[in-house]
Amino acid sequence: MLTNEFLRFLIAGGVAAGANFGSRFVFSMFLSYALAVFFAYLVGMLVAFILMRGHVFDAKNGRLGLQVIKFAGVNVVALLQTLIISLVLAHWVFPSSGITGEHAEALAHMIGVAVPVVTSYFGHKLLTFR
């Protein structure tokens, strides 16, 4: 059974993932795929921090600077997961299956964004917003 906190985390994460995923298309108009994924992740991270701090873990009274540092640390791990999965799928797995181009990149990025959900939840619950 999902706890209310984890459900709020999933909703906030979904909003942040949507910001991440959607902004990647804008960044892709100006940057390489890898850089677009990176900068889109930063957009999602900012949205996630605001929502997590205020609505998921109710940590508005915690030390902002320390929370930002811990949040960034947890998200560096998630960023690496996202970037590695997105690149491996888009450049090796999908092309070998006949899926190429923008569709491969979009699908790879969507999967890459979804993977770190569990690791991020526990990282933020146990470290960032304690």
Side-chain angles (χ1 to χ4, degrees), residues 25-32:
F25 292 96
V26 175
F27 289 124
S28 286
M29 293 171 22
F30 308 101
L31 302 170
S32 70

mmCIF file of all heavy atoms in Angstrom, residues 25-32:
data_model
loop_
_atom_site.group_PDB
_atom_site.id
_atom_site.type_symbol
_atom_site.label_atom_id
_atom_site.label_comp_id
_atom_site.label_asym_id
_atom_site.label_seq_id
_atom_site.Cartn_x
_atom_site.Cartn_y
_atom_site.Cartn_z
ATOM 1 N N PHE A 25 12.744 18.947 -25.199
ATOM 2 C CA PHE A 25 12.448 19.241 -26.601
ATOM 3 C C PHE A 25 12.856 20.666 -26.960
ATOM 4 O O PHE A 25 13.352 20.919 -28.054
ATOM 5 C CB PHE A 25 10.970 18.996 -26.908
ATOM 6 C CG PHE A 25 10.604 17.540 -26.847
ATOM 7 C CD1 PHE A 25 10.053 17.003 -25.701
ATOM 8 C CD2 PHE A 25 10.832 16.707 -27.930
ATOM 9 C CE1 PHE A 25 9.730 15.656 -25.628
ATOM 10 C CE2 PHE A 25 10.513 15.357 -27.876
ATOM 11 C CZ PHE A 25 9.961 14.828 -26.726
ATOM 12 N N VAL A 26 12.666 21.592 -26.037
ATOM 13 C CA VAL A 26 13.082 22.976 -26.273
ATOM 14 C C VAL A 26 14.609 23.041 -26.327
ATOM 15 O O VAL A 26 15.182 23.637 -27.250
ATOM 16 C CB VAL A 26 12.535 23.916 -25.174
ATOM 17 C CG1 VAL A 26 13.080 25.326 -25.353
ATOM 18 C CG2 VAL A 26 11.013 23.908 -25.176
ATOM 19 N N PHE A 27 15.270 22.423 -25.356
ATOM 20 C CA PHE A 27 16.737 22.433 -25.346
ATOM 21 C C PHE A 27 17.321 21.748 -26.578
ATOM 22 O O PHE A 27 18.369 22.137 -27.081
ATOM 23 C CB PHE A 27 17.288 21.780 -24.069
ATOM 24 C CG PHE A 27 17.081 22.603 -22.832
ATOM 25 C CD1 PHE A 27 16.412 22.083 -21.734
ATOM 26 C CD2 PHE A 27 17.561 23.901 -22.751
ATOM 27 C CE1 PHE A 27 16.227 22.838 -20.586
ATOM 28 C CE2 PHE A 27 17.377 24.672 -21.605
ATOM 29 C CZ PHE A 27 16.708 24.133 -20.524
ATOM 30 N N SER A 28 16.642 20.716 -27.074
ATOM 31 C CA SER A 28 17.135 19.987 -28.250
ATOM 32 C C SER A 28 17.144 20.850 -29.509
ATOM 33 O O SER A 28 17.845 20.536 -30.467
ATOM 34 C CB SER A 28 16.277 18.737 -28.509
ATOM 35 O OG SER A 28 16.579 17.748 -27.563
ATOM 36 N N MET A 29 16.410 21.947 -29.497
ATOM 37 C CA MET A 29 16.426 22.848 -30.644
ATOM 38 C C MET A 29 17.759 23.603 -30.736
ATOM 39 O O MET A 29 18.121 24.095 -31.799
ATOM 40 C CB MET A 29 15.259 23.854 -30.545
ATOM 41 C CG MET A 29 13.916 23.173 -30.693
ATOM 42 S SD MET A 29 12.410 24.148 -30.348
ATOM 43 C CE MET A 29 12.851 25.818 -30.520
ATOM 44 N N PHE A 30 18.490 23.659 -29.617
ATOM 45 C CA PHE A 30 19.717 24.449 -29.567
ATOM 46 C C PHE A 30 20.963 23.647 -29.167
ATOM 47 O O PHE A 30 22.082 24.107 -29.393
ATOM 48 C CB PHE A 30 19.570 25.597 -28.556
ATOM 49 C CG PHE A 30 18.342 26.418 -28.791
ATOM 50 C CD1 PHE A 30 17.211 26.237 -28.010
ATOM 51 C CD2 PHE A 30 18.296 27.364 -29.811
ATOM 52 C CE1 PHE A 30 16.067 26.997 -28.221
ATOM 53 C CE2 PHE A 30 17.166 28.121 -30.033
ATOM 54 C CZ PHE A 30 16.048 27.936 -29.240
ATOM 55 N N LEU A 31 20.770 22.487 -28.564
ATOM 56 C CA LEU A 31 21.876 21.729 -27.982
ATOM 57 C C LEU A 31 21.877 20.287 -28.481
ATOM 58 O O LEU A 31 20.875 19.791 -28.989
ATOM 59 C CB LEU A 31 21.743 21.715 -26.450
ATOM 60 C CG LEU A 31 21.701 23.072 -25.737
ATOM 61 C CD1 LEU A 31 21.317 22.885 -24.278
ATOM 62 C CD2 LEU A 31 23.033 23.790 -25.865
ATOM 63 N N SER A 32 22.991 19.598 -28.255
ATOM 64 C CA SER A 32 23.055 18.165 -28.553
ATOM 65 C C SER A 32 22.102 17.420 -27.626
ATOM 66 O O SER A 32 21.679 17.948 -26.588
ATOM 67 C CB SER A 32 24.478 17.646 -28.350
ATOM 68 O OG SER A 32 24.795 17.635 -26.958
#
